[in-house]
Amino acid sequence: MIRKAVSETHSALTPFTQKCRTLNHLKELHCQLLKFYLPETPSAIAPLLSFAVNSSNPSFFNYLRIVFQNLGYQSTFLYNTMIRGYMQSDLPIPAVLCYKDMLRNKLIVNNYTFPPLIKACSMILNEFGQHGFSVHAHLLKLGLQHDRFIVAALIEFYSLNIEMDRARMLFDEITNRDVVMWTSMIDGYGKIGEVGKARLLFDEMPERNVISWSAMMAAYSRASDFKEVLCLYRRMEEDGLKPNESVLVSILTACAHLGALAQGLLVHSFAKHYNYESNPILATALVDMYSKCGRMESASSVFEAMTYKDSGAWNAIISGFAMNGNAVKSVQLFDRMIASGNRPNETTFVALLSACTHAEMVDVGLSLFARMGSVYGVEPRFEHRACVVDLLARAGKLEDAEKFNEENMGGIEKGDANVWGALLGACRVYGNVEVGDRIWRKLSNMKVIDHGTCVLAYNIYREAGRDVEAKCVRELIEEMRTKKQPGCSVIEVNDIAEKSFASDLLHRK
């Protein structure tokens, strides 16, 4: 029967491939093809290869991949099938190499070659960014630039490559646009911060799917317009669309920044109902949301229930306890993170050093900083050094903080004025006029003073009874004619945190 099917037509093999349930079944069918392989039908392997690519069993494609590499027969169909198979297996580089083999073997490429090939180029932008441009040039030479599937892939490629002018040109030239093209444009504009252009396209879309809504929400989230993220979510609900994990992550991020705990609880309930909690990215967003809303018990509950905890999840819970004042717990979680085999990164140490700073755990903080590079391979950045200065300053070790700032942060000439300003604030707290006077003069000479540092210097001098210096600083404040921002608190109104200013009246001392 198999021999007859091979002799007559390739489509006759379909019933046999559909009966393959295991890799052994596939191998048996392959053996039968080899046994009855006729010289006049070398392409009989094509249906088997196509079946392997379309199946959900990765072992099928891995097996036929080896078979393909040892074939003596070549055809455009086989190569196109392999390119598609590599893409479905998240192997973009072999897909591009397949295309190069086609050109080297002088095989004809066609409109079926390019959509998966362009997607492969989109996946390897960072490593081989120029391949996509070469492929575009080739298809232009072949006159395939009007194929809507090819255009859709090109729009996605240029959007990911932040080449929105080229993407827009392609988008405007095609009349039969599908939802994928619209969404790619919205996502591209969102990634370069052109939220207004993204919203215009979003409002013009003839139809939207959940990915379109997700792309628009992500654009607003990147622009920190979290209120609009929640507004879009409510509109999407009104349209009767079920949110996916990406949408819920955007909503949770918005809730975290706005302090919208009530909305966050609703999202968590939705995630539980649809078993989205197993998504590690969404679970991490839940940990972050609860942490920023001050609900560390809930954050811990979500974290401990996670079956897979990556560095992002560990950072979220460590940062959560740090921002809520439990430095000891943060350090304990860090020890657990290391024991679990996860590698800490820059974010981990910013959270830990900040926690140690507010808890005045100086020795622990300095030990962590010392081990960053030597033990954990994380090179200290500006943020970590600034944390150390703050750690020492808040503990009253002002001379050590000043020395560290001079030796590790480039001194006043290359250092950050905000760090020096924080150190000046510590000088006032501890009444250290000597160090405070030295820092103020450095800041004044470099002309990097602002209203805040002036007020600090004035208070340091006034409280120390040095009226002459205090008067000079006071005159400088009058010359600057700057206003201090009034203090404010945050309260939740209609599920969204609103700023409430204590007073608009500015008082002078």
Side-chain angles (χ1 to χ4, degrees):
M1 290 178 65
I2 294 177
R3 183 172 185 176
K4 183 179 179 181
V6 171
S7 302
E8 292 178 355
T9 172
H10 297 161
S11 61
L13 284 172
T14 302
F16 296 99
T17 58
Q18 289 178 343
K19 292 179 180 179
C20 291
R21 294 290 181 268
T22 66
L23 182 58
N24 284 335
H25 290 163
L26 186 70
K27 289 180 177 179
E28 287 173 8
L29 182 56
H30 183 213
C31 287
Q32 291 295 317
L33 284 174
L34 290 174
K35 182 177 178 181
F36 299 117
Y37 209 85
L38 304 177
E40 62 269 22
T41 58
S43 61
I45 196 70
L48 204 62
L49 181 59
S50 183
F51 163 74
V53 168
N54 294 323
S55 75
S56 58
N57 191 330
S59 65
F60 287 3
F61 179 69
N62 288 335
Y63 175 72
L64 265 300
R65 177 183 177 184
I66 298 170
V67 173
F68 172 79
Q69 291 169 349
N70 291 280
L71 280 177
Y73 171 77
Q74 298 168 339
S75 74
T76 298
F77 177 82
L78 287 178
Y79 270 92
N80 285 350
T81 304
M82 283 303 300
I83 291 173
R84 186 160 52 88
Y86 280 127
M87 278 307 301
Q88 290 176 189
S89 300
D90 291 327
L91 296 169
I93 294 177
V96 173
L97 294 177
C98 249
Y99 164 70
K100 290 188 172 183
D101 279 346
M102 289 182 76
L103 300 182
R104 190 162 39 248
N105 294 326
K106 298 183 180 179
L107 290 170
I108 297 172
V109 292
N110 56 27
N111 57 316
Y112 294 104
T113 310
F114 289 104
L117 175 63
I118 295 167
K119 288 186 177 181
C121 294
S122 299
M123 292 176 66
I124 56 174
L125 279 173
N126 295 333
E127 301 166 272
F128 308 102
Q130 296 303 313
H131 277 305
F133 301 109
S134 301
V135 169
H136 190 182
H138 189 194
L139 66 89
L140 285 172
K141 185 178 179 181
L142 296 173
L144 298 172
Q145 67 271 24
H146 299 297
D147 183 286
R148 62 190 298 269
F149 297 104
I150 292 175
V151 173
L154 282 171
I155 289 173
E156 182 182 17
F157 168 76
Y158 284 118
S159 298
L160 291 170
N161 201 42
I162 318 299
E163 293 268 358
M164 290 311 298
D165 289 340
R166 295 191 185 191
R168 188 60 192 250
M169 183 177 65
L170 290 166
F171 181 79
D172 289 339
E173 285 178 354
I174 194 162
T175 55
N176 189 18
R177 303 163 183 157
D178 61 14
V179 68
V180 176
M181 296 181 192
W182 287 91
T183 304
S184 295
M185 290 297 298
I186 291 167
D187 191 47
Y189 277 129
K191 285 176 179 173
I192 63 172
E194 295 278 2
V195 184
K197 290 182 179 179
R199 185 57 185 265
L200 285 174
L201 286 174
F202 181 79
D203 290 337
E204 290 174 14
M205 288 183 75
E207 61 173 318
R208 307 183 187 99
N209 60 19
V210 67
I211 301 174
S212 313
W213 287 92
S214 178
M216 194 65 246
M217 289 178 198
Y220 278 117
S221 186
R222 291 189 196 97
S224 298
D225 191 347
F226 300 111
K227 287 185 180 180
E228 192 59 35
V229 173
L230 295 187
C231 288
L232 277 174
Y233 178 58
R234 293 189 182 107
R235 278 188 56 192
M236 191 185 80
E237 283 185 317
E238 291 170 2
D239 283 1
L241 280 174
K242 173 188 169 184
N244 60 13
E245 289 100 322
S246 297
V247 168
L248 294 185
V249 168
S250 293
I251 301 306
L252 288 169
T253 302
C255 292
H257 283 86
L258 295 172
L261 177 61
Q263 181 67 63
L265 288 168
L266 288 174
V267 173
H268 190 183
S269 177
F270 188 95
K272 282 181 178 178
H273 180 73
Y274 287 101
N275 199 28
Y276 286 163
E277 279 185 307
S278 58
N279 183 317
I281 298 175
L282 191 145
T284 300
L286 279 169
V287 172
D288 185 55
M289 185 274 295
Y290 280 125
S291 297
K292 287 178 178 172
C293 291
R295 295 293 189 92
M296 288 314 301
E297 185 176 342
S298 298
S300 294
S301 177
V302 174
F303 176 78
E304 296 298 345
M306 294 175 68
T307 53
Y308 172 72
K309 301 178 179 71
D310 60 8
S311 58
W314 284 101
N315 287 345
I317 194 67
I318 290 170
S319 299
F321 277 106
M323 73 176 71
N324 284 280
N326 195 336
V328 174
K329 183 68 174 178
S330 289
V331 175
Q332 289 173 349
L333 283 163
F334 173 71
D335 292 337
R336 278 182 59 192
M337 178 184 184
I338 300 303
S340 71
N342 280 274
R343 291 179 61 84
N345 55 25
E346 291 87 354
T347 304
T348 315
F349 285 101
V350 169
L352 287 167
L353 291 170
S354 297
C356 291
T357 296
H358 293 287
E360 295 189 8
M361 295 166 57
V362 180
D363 293 339
V364 175
L366 292 177
S367 175
L368 286 167
F369 180 79
R371 288 182 287 153
M372 276 183 66
S374 59
V375 177
Y376 303 111
V378 180
E379 190 64 29
R381 294 185 176 182
F382 166 80
E383 303 96 299
H384 306 108
R385 295 187 175 91
C387 284
V388 172
V389 173
D390 199 24
L391 173 71
L392 293 168
R394 285 175 183 260
K397 298 178 178 294
L398 301 175
E399 288 82 2
D400 292 340
E402 183 185 20
K403 182 180 178 182
F404 183 91
N405 207 351
E406 290 282 2
E407 294 178 353
N408 294 276
M409 303 188 70
I412 194 67
E413 293 79 9
K414 297 180 181 179
D416 185 88
N418 292 324
V419 177
W420 284 106
L423 184 51
L424 187 65
C427 290
R428 185 203 172 184
V429 171
Y430 287 98
N432 194 322
V433 184
E434 182 182 348
V435 176
D437 178 66
R438 200 156 54 232
I439 293 171
W440 166 250
R441 294 185 185 281
K442 288 178 181 178
L443 290 168
S444 299
N445 292 336
M446 293 302 297
K447 294 182 172 53
V448 291
I449 56 175
D450 58 17
H451 181 269
T453 52
C454 287
V455 171
L456 284 172
Y458 169 75
N459 287 326
I460 289 171
Y461 288 131
R462 183 179 61 83
E463 290 164 6
R466 295 172 61 165
D467 296 334
V468 176
E469 289 93 337
K471 183 180 179 181
C472 291
V473 178
R474 182 72 192 198
E475 290 173 354
L476 182 60
I477 293 174
E478 293 292 339
E479 290 175 11
M480 293 173 70
R481 293 180 180 178
T482 58
K483 291 183 178 181
K484 181 182 176 183
Q485 289 288 339
C488 68
S489 60
V490 178
I491 58 174
E492 192 172 339
V493 179
N494 296 327
D495 298 338
I496 296 177
E498 299 283 357
K499 284 186 177 180
S500 175
F501 286 92
S503 173
D504 287 330
L505 299 175
L506 303 179
H507 302 283
R508 296 178 179 178
K509 287 192 176 182

